Amino acid sequence: MKKLVILASGSGSNAENLIRYFHAGEQARVVKIYSNVEEAGVFARADRLGVPCEAFNRNDFRNGKLLSRILEEEPDLLVLAGFLWLIPADWIAAFPNRIVNIHPALLPKYGGKGMYGMRVHEAVRAAGETETGITIHYVNAAYDEGAIIFQEKTPVLPEDSAAEIAEKVHALEYAFFPKILSEILSEKERR
Ligand code: GRF
């Protein structure tokens, strides 16, 4: 059984979706969720689903404590599902090509520091884009710049609000993030 560890800062709807998907099968389990936001919605979701969820602070994130704890759990993949801090270089060295992020736009557009959540969808709307989507990518030391694994598009209509765009993007996230992670896990097995 493969092991996933998730880092999440927000509501955790993607974390929940991943737990539901993998725990219905035999390929992998979400063994732990870590959050840098104590009041994040992800805690209640994890609790309901019986997955341990733990808070950490910036010190533990930077001084190697959290990294050592995660290494002890021996995850096959470290999954960022709405996690907002830049991953330090020692983490990337410790998990080469094993940290995967999902971004709610078509990178390289609408990525980088400060581009998260509704800010992304507002920017897409303000620019008059006719399409947006999701990007699933490996994490490197720069925000949203690691190698792209998968993208999927959805149309943006002139009358769409940012909230409506968010809804379409979330639907893509729920449909594709578990499947793509599952494919990555199977590929790693073959190597
Ligand atoms: C998602 O849109 C994800 O793409 C992004 O942050 C959002 C997290 O939403 N990076 P949730 O916490 O999974 O509900």
Side-chain angles (χ1 to χ4, degrees):
M1 190 77 87
K2 302 277 179 187
K3 293 196 238 172
L4 305 178
V5 166
I6 297 179
L7 262 55
S9 306
S11 125
S13 67
N14 277 284
E16 172 163 356
N17 185 51
L18 293 175
I19 295 167
R20 289 192 186 282
Y21 179 93
F22 284 106
H23 293 209
E26 295 304 322
Q27 185 185 26
R29 290 286 174 268
V30 176
V31 293
K32 189 87 180 248
I33 302 178
Y34 289 98
S35 180
N36 59 319
V37 179
E38 275 186 40
E39 64 279 14
V42 69
F43 283 93
R45 293 184 195 265
D47 196 41
R48 271 203 306 277
L49 294 161
V51 174
C53 187
E54 211 174 290
F56 65 91
N57 59 32
R58 198 173 278 275
N59 275 347
D60 291 348
F61 185 61
R62 297 241 158 254
N63 65 17
K65 247 193 212 164
L66 180 61
L67 176 60
S68 319
R69 288 231 302 281
I70 296 178
L71 280 168
E72 278 167 24
E73 280 148 11
E74 301 186 324
D76 294 280
L77 287 180
L78 184 53
V79 179
L80 311 187
F83 180 67
L84 299 183
W85 288 350
L86 185 66
I87 298 295
D90 53 338
W91 287 53
I92 294 164
F95 294 108
N97 274 346
R98 283 194 293 142
I99 311 179
V100 179
N101 182 45
I102 185 159
H103 186 78
L106 298 169
L107 292 175
K109 283 179 158 188
Y110 307 104
K113 193 170 165 56
M115 266 296 173
Y116 60 85
M118 290 305 283
R119 293 194 197 184
V120 174
H121 309 305
E122 278 296 356
V124 165
R125 198 193 55 82
E129 296 284 355
T130 55
E131 59 183 20
T132 187
I134 57 167
T135 304
I136 296 169
H137 65 95
Y138 287 114
V139 172
N140 68 7
Y143 270 118
D144 299 331
E145 287 179 18
I148 291 175
I149 301 164
F150 175 86
Q151 292 186 305
E152 181 70 21
K153 294 176 181 171
T154 183
V156 176
L157 306 176
E159 64 271 25
D160 278 349
S161 65
E164 283 164 329
I165 298 172
E167 210 170 296
K168 293 179 184 180
V169 169
H170 270 307
L172 292 182
E173 293 179 336
Y174 303 150
F176 290 102
F177 201 19
K179 283 189 200 158
I180 298 300
L181 291 174
S182 168
E183 281 174 27
I184 296 171
L185 288 170
S186 315
E187 262 167 41
K188 290 201 188 297
E189 208 161 302
R190 280 199 292 276
R191 261 185 246 142

